[in-house]
Amino acid sequence: MGQVGNLGERIIFEVNDKRFLTFSDFKRTVAGRWTLHNSIGDRQAAEFLGPALDKITFQITLLATLGVKPREVLESIEEAVKMGEVNLLVVNGKQVGSGPYRITSMSETWESIFQGGELMQAKLNLTLEEYA
């Protein structure tokens, strides 16, 4: 077992005997952009304008017991969001979509904190949008 994929160099999804960091609830939306033109006494006419930007959402569970430092991962991804980083998303050695993605939002839930304030478990929801 080894690398599952990555989002640039900052997020490496991997499963091995030392570290388990992967995602769940992966959803990708691919759509077209359309407009409708009104005509008096006739049906509307639909016009295709082109492809819309792909959108992806997924969840990452961060567990310290599985070799991940939740607080470090959260801070690293937060920095990527705030810096406007754009990266390719790769899963199983294959690029997802036709180009790079940007993280448009992240939300985090801190689930377990140990004595001294060490974060042991957190969930992270990411929303990505294609960068064109």
Side-chain angles (χ1 to χ4, degrees):
M1 297 187 142
Q3 187 168 328
V4 174
N6 62 284
L7 180 59
E9 295 179 9
R10 195 177 288 269
I11 306 173
I12 307 296
F13 301 110
E14 61 185 329
V15 177
N16 58 48
D17 58 352
K18 294 181 182 170
R19 190 167 190 259
F20 184 97
L21 179 63
T22 190
F23 53 85
S24 61
D25 298 324
F26 186 97
K27 295 178 183 110
R28 179 175 173 219
T29 302
V30 178
R33 293 180 301 119
W34 292 84
T35 191
L36 296 175
H37 300 284
N38 293 320
S39 294
I40 296 174
D42 202 359
R43 296 178 135 194
Q44 292 176 315
E47 179 183 7
F48 181 68
L49 300 176
L53 298 175
D54 292 1
K55 291 183 176 119
I56 294 175
T57 60
F58 56 88
Q59 184 176 83
I60 302 171
T61 300
L62 305 169
L63 294 164
T65 56
L66 296 177
V68 176
K69 295 183 179 180
R71 190 76 180 255
E72 286 181 14
V73 173
L74 291 173
E75 288 171 354
S76 177
I77 294 172
E78 180 180 345
E79 183 179 351
V81 173
K82 289 182 176 181
M83 297 298 294
E85 288 185 13
V86 175
N87 293 295
L88 293 176
L89 175 62
V90 177
V91 177
N92 194 29
K94 296 177 184 170
Q95 180 178 315
V96 177
S98 59
Y101 288 87
R102 57 196 170 95
I103 304 171
T104 57
S105 70
M106 69 175 270
S107 64
E108 58 192 68
T109 305
W110 294 16
E111 297 188 333
S112 268
I113 300 173
F114 279 7
Q115 185 175 358
E118 184 179 356
L119 183 59
M120 295 301 295
Q121 180 175 343
K123 286 196 176 165
L124 174 64
N125 289 295
L126 291 181
T127 301
L128 311 179
E129 189 171 80
E130 187 177 17
Y131 179 78

